[in-house]
Amino acid sequence: MRERYRFVEQLGKGGFATVWLAYDQQIGGLCAVKQSIAAEPEVVEMLEAEATILAGLAHPSLPRIRDHFVHEGRACVVMDYIEGVDLSVLLATEHDGIAPK
């Protein structure tokens, strides 16, 4: 993928995209790459718009957008990898809810 990102493992998959744990071979370190499943122009445009909006936001609860591009017809959004428990696992194990921070 642009000879820069080496996929390590799949982190999740939804209706529009797959999220991969990847290693950034140019600057080092782990990152998350969200890659559209379909190559339809509408899906590519949607993920490109998402990347542009998120790149303009700065909040400690949001990952920083590092890069976004189209590779082999599929949109890719590269963001900081934030290690932690998957929300679905957390919700399944915390029966009394999750306390706000």
Side-chain angles (χ1 to χ4, degrees):
M1 173 139 321
R2 287 180 65 178
E3 305 301 321
R4 177 172 177 176
Y5 304 103
R6 179 176 45 84
F7 286 180
V8 177
E9 68 178 286
Q10 183 176 316
L11 296 174
K13 186 173 184 177
F16 291 103
T18 302
V19 178
W20 299 91
L21 176 63
Y23 183 79
D24 186 332
Q25 299 180 116
Q26 182 176 334
I27 62 173
L30 295 174
C31 58
V33 178
K34 183 175 185 179
Q35 181 182 41
S36 65
I37 294 171
E40 284 96 19
E42 301 83 22
V43 175
V44 171
E45 287 176 24
M46 183 182 67
L47 279 179
E48 287 281 294
E50 177 184 319
T52 301
I53 291 168
L54 289 175
L57 301 176
H59 189 277
S61 296
L62 296 174
R64 179 177 52 100
I65 301 299
R66 295 182 181 192
D67 194 7
H68 64 94
F69 53 91
V70 177
H71 176 73
E72 296 180 357
R74 296 180 182 184
C76 297
V77 179
V78 182
M79 59 195 92
D80 288 340
Y81 171 65
I82 300 172
E83 191 170 350
V85 177
D86 185 271
L87 180 59
S88 63
V89 173
L90 187 61
L91 291 173
T93 57
E94 297 294 327
H95 302 290
D96 295 328
I98 303 168
K101 291 188 177 188

